[in-house]
Amino acid sequence: MPETLILRAELYREADGTFSVEIIDPETGTTERQPIPAQYAAMLPQVIAMLR
């Protein structure tokens, strides 16, 4: 059976209107923050609306 990997992701809207995602690995405590490319960020408002 494959091992389960649990990560937490936080989505940020930056001051300049771009988006970034912060990935947190609770097991190791490591955090990585990366910008979201514009072609994907354009879809985020619709995705967020569907998740609410």
Side-chain angles (χ1 to χ4, degrees):
M1 178 151 232
E3 187 176 326
T4 301
L5 176 63
I6 299 173
L7 299 173
R8 190 175 89 215
E10 296 181 2
L11 180 65
Y12 293 90
R13 184 183 303 235
E14 306 294 349
D16 63 1
T18 61
F19 288 91
S20 64
V21 65
E22 186 171 88
I23 306 294
I24 301 105
D25 183 341
E27 188 174 297
T28 64
T30 57
T31 300
E32 182 179 333
R33 191 163 176 166
Q34 294 289 327
I36 297 176
Q39 68 268 28
Y40 300 119
M43 295 182 283
L44 287 174
Q46 296 91 346
V47 172
I48 293 167
M50 289 186 314
L51 293 173
R52 289 189 174 159

